[in-house]
Each structure stands twice: as structure tokens, then as C-alpha cells.
Amino acid sequence: MTTNGSTNGQHHTINLGSLMTSAVESAIAEADIYHGSGTTYLHIDNPLKVSSSSNNIDDKNSNSAAHHNPTGAVVPPISLATTFKQSTPGEPSARGDPNSFGLGFEYSRTGNPTRGVFERAVAAAEKAKYCVAFSSGSAATSAVVHLLIPGERILSIDDVYGGTQRYFRKVVNPRMGIEIDFVDFSNNQAVLSKMLTGGDKTKLLWLETPTNPTLKVTDIEKVSTMTKRFNANALLCVDNTFCSPYFQNPLEHGADIVVHSVTKYINGHSDVVMGVVCTNDEEIYTQLRFIQNGVGAVPSPFDCYLAHRGLKTLHLRMEAAARNANAIALFLEDHQGVTKVLYPGLKSHPQHDIATRQQNGYGAMITFYCIGKREQSAILLQNLRVFALAESLGAVESLAECPSLMTHASVPDEQRALLGIDDTLIRLSVGIESCADLVADLDNALNAALKNKQDKQKQKQSSFLPKVESGSREGGGYWDWS
């Protein structure tokens, strides 16, 4: 008999022989709920396949777990050493260790065994040949920008993480001499116009999909095709943080570079700040390695250990959080305290079809607009008990925030207004708690905001009631408006 499973995002058939009963078949099908990119990266000893001629790796030895793990430990050790002994001057040790990428180890900023393990695992998860880790998502973004030189130009999606747009506007443009243009990538003509206007100066297209915080979804393949046709020298970089490598793999859709804030879903436990850059291009990888070493914004070995441990449960966390998010999005759509819900999994989402085609799942980020104004959104957030009022996202615990006052406060007022980031917009990062508890928490908070608005309306109405002399009509004091 056979059963269906999933390892690389594609369901496949496994022949388990005549011993398989229908009950076992059903049990396996029920257990194997994974819809994302699969979990094969958990079992690959050497996910990074490189030629020995270009990186000095002994293929025979580098693929042997026993050769580089003589103890047989199933958990990679934390290597805290800052420097490594050399047997001969100028000859780094352990060139054959795949975690050194053929370079050996000499100084921990340049290369570290624990960091190497993590980078190889993320590369496998993202279906990339190469991965370079940095001390934060912002440092990873900065490393990509360092691929450009003064006078060149970045074309960025308009609805971008607040920290990224602030870095582009206040650091990259004025201090590095790199031009920045923001554009709505859902408008192909606008993107093409901006691309052609910049001419050959445009060297980098920066894309988030889904975006932060309004969850716009962009067709990566379409943008890639357009870029290659009209500006072949420009690189397409996709910030894949919101989907994680489990629900989306931009390199497979034509992206040149993928960036992640590891702080979010990859680590998943709100205890590590880190970023990574992934690519299939060896030249880009070589430059990123040089930047990593030259700038020195590298993560600590302990953080790499924690993030690697988090990566091992990525599939479990993403599935659980996405299931919760779907139910919560449907609940919010029906609640009278909500005026609009943005979640790629809803058919009402403007780019639902693109998300369905491009992603392996809809993720666990939800944006919605609550009824009323800033006062009501504040009451809503203050009345949450299961959701924590906090910035960041992608962890096991559920978080809620008001982007206009928190993560996107640095975005200019006029730009926020254009993007629809007002004081009633609430961003949820749905965790893996009980879905019933999360829904009850939101219901209670929304009802508190709704009651406040209704009370305000009653007070406003009563202030306009005409007063009369007491006793002039039965009931006295006020006219009977019934």
C-alpha cells in the first residue's frame, strides 16, 4: 500500500509494502500535515554542495558526518573560541570541515564552526546554495546595500518595514550617495516606469512579500522577469521574513537574494537578534562573505546555536501558527468591532490568488482596522491578556501592536497616510497558543473598544438634547424622545 507525504513541498507517494494497513495509512496521512517546503533540511549532513576545486573542500571527507563529528553528538557543539591554532603560518586549520566552507578556521569573526552549521542549515531550508549570517536583520540588509556603490539606485517597495525605510532614507541616501525610490510593486506600470527612469543606475530592487504591515503580496516571478528584460544588471532582493523559508522560497521564483530577520520565525522564541542573506550566485556570495568579515557584524556562536535549534521546529511552529491565523482572520472579518481585515489566506485579500500560487501557506501575520479612532485602538490593545502588546513578530507567543505608533512611527506622516497605516491599524503576529484562547482574548478587547465608542456616541448625542423647565411636561427635565 502507499501513503502520501511531503518533504520538499511536493506530495509524493511512499511504497510501504503489504504490511501497511488502511488504519496506519490514515494515521500517517493525518500526522503528516505539512504543507510548506518540507523538512529535508533537518536530515542533510552537508546541504551546501560546492566543488572542491573552488573552495578547497575534500568532498570525500566533507560529506562524512563521522569525520567532523567524532563524538557522534546529535546536537552541534557551541564553539566559543575566538581564535584557532595553526600548524603552519598562514594555513588555517580544518579546511576540510564543511562548516568552514573550504576556508578553514583562523579567527571567529572570519569563520566559526557553530555559525557554519547554522548557515548551512538555513541555506538548505531556503533552497539556496549559500547563506551568510549577520548580527541582526538590519545588518543583513546593510550587507546587501554594501553590494552597491555611490551614484547607483535602489528601487524599493513602498510598504516596507519601518526600520528598512528609515535606513534607506536617513543613512543610505544621504550618507552613502545611493538614490532611493519607493514604488507600489502591485502596479507593474509604475515599477516599469521607475525602472526605466533610473536607467542603468538602478542596481537593486528591494521587495517584501507579504509586506510589513499591510500584507501586500507581489508576484516575484513577474518582477524578476521584468527586471531581467529591462534592467538585466539589477539584482532582485526579497525580504522573506513574514513567510519564512517554510512557506515561501523566493529564489525558486527568480529572486537573486533572500533576506531574513532570523529574530522572527527562523529562531521563533524571542531570544535571539540575527539576520541572514541567502543566494545561489557564487559571486554575490563571495562579496557577502567579504562584507561579513570586513564589517564584522557577525552573530555570536551561542545565538547561532539557539537559532539552529529554533530552525528545527520551524515546520511545527509555522503550521500551528498559520492554522490559528486562518481561524482568527475569519473571526475578525465577522466582528462588528473590525472594519477591514488583511490576511493573504482570505479570499477578500486583493492578492489572494498570487499568494495561493506563490506561497506554500498563508503565514501567521494579520493586519486589521478596528472601529473608531486612536482612542479605541489603544483601548483594544490595553485590554489584551493573551496577546502581548509588543513589537517584533514570528515567535511562539502571540503579539499585537499599532504600527503607526510603534514599528512604523519613523515613516513620514504623509507616507503612512498614503499606505493606509493609520492609528486604527493593528498588526497581529499569531502564535501557537490555544486558538480558542486567542479568539476569546481578541473578542474581549474588541468589545471593550466597541463599548467605548458607543459610550462616546451616547455622550455626544445627550449633549445635544434640548433642555426644558422642570415639570413642563410629564417626566420633567428632558423631552421624551422615545
Side-chain angles (χ1 to χ4, degrees):
M1 293 186 180
T2 60
T3 184
N4 289 325
S6 175
T7 56
N8 61 355
Q10 304 294 323
H11 286 277
H12 62 281
T13 300
I14 306 171
N15 187 358
L16 295 177
S18 59
L19 293 178
M20 179 74 114
T21 66
S22 59
V24 173
E25 228 177 20
S26 299
I28 293 176
E30 185 177 345
D32 194 9
I33 58 172
Y34 307 119
H35 306 295
S37 60
T39 60
T40 55
Y41 63 90
L42 295 174
H43 315 294
I44 298 176
D45 173 55
N46 185 20
L48 181 62
K49 291 290 186 182
V50 293
S51 65
S52 58
S53 59
S54 61
N55 286 283
N56 299 315
I57 293 180
D58 181 347
D59 285 337
K60 180 179 178 181
N61 290 328
S62 65
N63 288 324
S64 169
H67 180 78
H68 297 291
N69 182 14
T71 66
V74 297
V75 176
I78 304 172
S79 178
L80 298 176
T82 57
T83 189
F84 301 85
K85 182 179 179 181
Q86 300 183 20
S87 58
T88 303
E91 284 295 325
S93 60
R95 282 187 183 273
D97 188 332
N99 299 318
S100 78
F101 308 102
L103 302 174
F105 299 112
E106 55 183 24
Y107 188 63
S108 202
R109 170 169 46 79
T110 308
N112 176 274
T114 312
R115 189 169 80 226
V117 169
F118 174 68
E119 289 172 332
R120 291 168 56 228
V122 173
E126 192 53 88
K127 303 188 186 307
K129 290 182 180 178
Y130 312 104
C131 172
V132 185
F134 295 88
S135 56
S136 69
S138 296
T141 299
S142 176
V144 175
V145 173
H146 272 78
L147 297 173
L148 278 63
I149 60 174
E152 294 182 335
R153 180 170 175 259
I154 297 174
L155 191 58
S156 171
I157 193 166
D158 53 356
D159 181 31
V160 69
Y161 164 54
T164 299
Q165 65 78 31
R166 178 181 58 213
Y167 170 62
F168 283 169
R169 287 190 305 105
K170 295 193 173 184
V171 179
V172 175
N173 178 240
R175 302 193 182 197
M176 299 175 66
I178 295 173
E179 296 180 20
I180 307 290
D181 259 324
F182 295 95
V183 65
D184 180 0
F185 271 68
S186 65
N187 186 334
N188 293 329
Q189 286 303 118
V191 175
L192 180 58
S193 175
K194 288 280 188 181
M195 194 182 299
L196 294 176
T197 301
D200 290 338
K201 288 170 50 176
T202 302
K203 298 298 182 183
L204 178 65
L205 280 78
W206 188 274
L207 180 61
E208 285 182 11
T209 181
T211 60
N212 183 2
T214 64
L215 300 179
K216 293 180 185 176
V217 177
T218 300
D219 190 322
I220 299 172
E221 185 174 357
K222 186 173 289 186
V223 173
S224 173
T225 300
M226 188 188 306
T227 303
K228 288 175 173 57
R229 180 179 178 185
F230 295 102
N231 196 339
N233 293 322
L235 299 174
L236 173 58
C237 179
V238 177
D239 184 333
N240 196 31
T241 298
F242 269 30
C243 272
S244 87
Y246 184 68
F247 279 144
Q248 183 171 262
N249 303 114
L251 296 176
E252 294 192 330
H253 299 286
D256 300 294
I257 301 170
V258 175
V259 167
H260 285 277
S261 172
V262 173
T263 311
K264 313 307 192 293
Y265 285 111
I266 291 177
N267 177 63
H269 292 81
S270 298
D271 53 11
V272 167
V273 174
M274 196 192 300
V276 293
V277 183
C278 299
T279 185
N280 284 329
D281 188 293
E282 187 171 1
E283 182 180 348
I284 294 173
Y285 167 69
T286 300
Q287 293 184 62
L288 290 170
R289 276 287 176 213
F290 181 84
I291 293 165
Q292 181 195 48
N293 184 51
V295 176
V298 295
S300 74
F302 188 70
D303 281 353
C304 290
Y305 159 77
L306 287 175
H308 188 218
R309 183 173 67 168
L311 181 65
K312 293 178 181 179
T313 59
L314 178 66
H315 59 296
L316 298 170
R317 293 183 284 105
M318 294 307 295
E319 288 286 352
R323 286 196 300 272
N324 281 349
N326 181 67
I328 289 170
L330 292 170
F331 159 76
L332 291 171
E333 269 201 322
D334 287 341
H335 201 288
Q336 60 180 334
V338 176
T339 61
K340 185 178 182 180
V341 182
L342 295 170
Y343 177 64
L346 294 175
K347 291 183 178 180
S348 59
H349 189 282
Q351 295 92 37
H352 171 74
D353 290 343
I354 297 175
T356 300
R357 181 176 68 253
Q358 179 171 274
Q359 301 170 200
N360 297 312
Y362 299 114
M365 298 299 299
I366 302 173
T367 293
F368 71 92
Y369 293 84
C370 76
I371 198 167
K373 297 182 179 180
R374 179 172 176 172
E375 181 181 359
Q376 283 71 43
S377 68
I379 289 172
L380 186 161
L381 292 169
Q382 290 164 5
N383 276 273
L384 291 171
R385 295 295 178 265
V386 182
F387 281 86
L389 174 56
E391 296 186 2
S392 198
L393 58 104
V396 292
E397 59 272 356
S398 295
L399 306 175
E401 64 127 355
C402 180
S404 67
L405 303 176
M406 298 169 72
T407 56
H408 290 68
S410 63
V411 178
D413 292 345
E414 62 276 12
Q415 183 67 11
R416 283 206 308 270
L418 186 65
L419 295 171
I421 306 175
D422 62 30
D423 292 345
T424 67
L425 184 147
I426 305 297
R427 190 190 76 180
L428 301 180
S429 172
V430 180
I432 63 173
E433 303 95 335
S434 159
C435 188
D437 289 348
L438 294 173
V439 168
D441 192 37
L442 286 168
D443 187 41
N444 177 68
L446 283 165
N447 288 336
L450 188 61
K451 182 178 184 304
N452 175 268
K453 185 175 186 298
Q454 292 169 342
D455 289 345
K456 291 285 184 182
Q457 289 175 333
K458 289 179 181 178
Q459 291 173 6
K460 187 176 181 180
Q461 290 172 354
S462 65
S463 67
F464 289 104
L465 293 175
K467 289 187 177 182
V468 295
E469 293 295 329
S470 178
S472 62
R473 179 171 177 168
E474 186 177 352
Y478 294 96
W479 291 103
D480 182 2
W481 288 78
S482 61

